[in-house]
Amino acid sequence: MTEALKTRREREKQARYDAILDAAERVFSEKGYERTSMDDIARNASLSRALLYVYFKDKAAIQRGIMLRAGHSLCERFRAARKTAGTGLAQIRAMGESYYRFYAEEPDYFSALTKASTAMAEADEAQAMEMLCSKSELMKLMTDAIKLGLEDGTMSRQRIINPEQTALYLRGALHGTILLCQSETSESQSDFPAESLIRHTMDMLSSSLAAS
């Protein structure tokens, strides 16, 4: 097989893989994950059921593919957020704000990532490694910003002993607040001050990190 032919086939394979995920995202959004069948996805992707199974062994594997997309999307947002700020503290705040925008603008991806840790246990080795790498990249972006904050003097060396642990704390605290907003607004409380609460949370977290 010539290199050109191999490259073309790889592109075609990737395009079909992406088309399946595109179709699954549409059907999951319309019908919900539980009510969607592999046949639904195959029809939406204009593929045979047999060909669909060549790419994904089951619906859960397709969902994990979407989770990977979600992780890549959030990583892109975090990278872009870091570029908007100069100091470590400002970068962390920018990433926190981008996390909320991720939830607001890509709610299906946010929900997918919320379930990613459980799904990783059922993934095959290749998918599990990809998901782990995506999660590691997210944490590295946050950890690097915290290390920068310690170096540039915008973050407290007395309160931040372990940058990795601090990154986990920040993400967990903000994620919990976003889930609270999601819960409250889903209960028909359209006047719930979600953005105000997120801003207050960011203020409190920033204050807890800032150098005196």
Side-chain angles (χ1 to χ4, degrees), residues 3-152:
E3 192 64 32
L5 181 58
K6 182 180 179 182
T7 302
R8 190 185 74 191
R9 288 187 176 178
E10 287 173 351
R11 284 199 305 266
E12 290 172 350
K13 184 176 180 181
Q14 185 62 48
R16 193 168 287 128
Y17 177 92
D18 290 337
I20 291 170
L21 292 184
D22 289 342
E25 285 185 22
R26 289 192 296 270
V27 184
F28 288 164
S29 181
E30 292 168 7
K31 301 182 65 172
Y33 177 79
E34 295 298 335
R35 293 193 299 275
T36 296
S37 67
M38 291 291 274
D39 283 334
D40 292 330
I41 297 169
R43 276 195 300 273
N44 203 284
S46 299
L47 297 174
S48 68
R49 182 184 172 94
L51 187 55
L52 179 62
Y53 278 104
V54 170
Y55 286 83
F56 295 96
K57 67 176 184 177
D58 54 26
K59 190 171 65 170
I62 294 176
Q63 175 73 332
R64 288 192 292 271
I66 292 172
M67 289 172 182
L68 275 170
R69 277 189 168 184
H72 293 154
S73 176
L74 185 55
C75 281
E76 286 296 324
R77 285 175 178 265
F78 274 20
R79 280 192 288 269
R82 283 199 69 190
K83 291 176 183 177
T84 67
T87 69
L89 185 61
Q91 286 182 10
I92 279 291
R93 174 142 194 151
M95 280 190 277
E97 290 168 353
S98 74
Y99 193 42
Y100 177 70
R101 288 195 299 274
F102 174 71
Y103 154 72
E105 296 167 8
E106 300 184 271
D108 290 341
Y109 276 1
F110 178 83
S111 295
L113 276 189
T114 299
K115 304 166 189 167
S117 294
T118 304
M120 197 182 300
E122 301 169 0
D124 60 34
E125 186 176 352
Q127 263 193 334
M129 184 58 66
E130 275 194 90
M131 293 170 78
L132 186 60
C133 287
S134 179
K135 182 177 180 181
S136 297
E137 185 176 1
L138 283 169
M139 294 308 300
K140 185 177 186 306
L141 286 164
M142 293 184 68
T143 300
D144 285 350
I146 293 168
K147 288 178 179 177
L148 174 62
L150 293 173
E151 291 168 6
D152 65 25

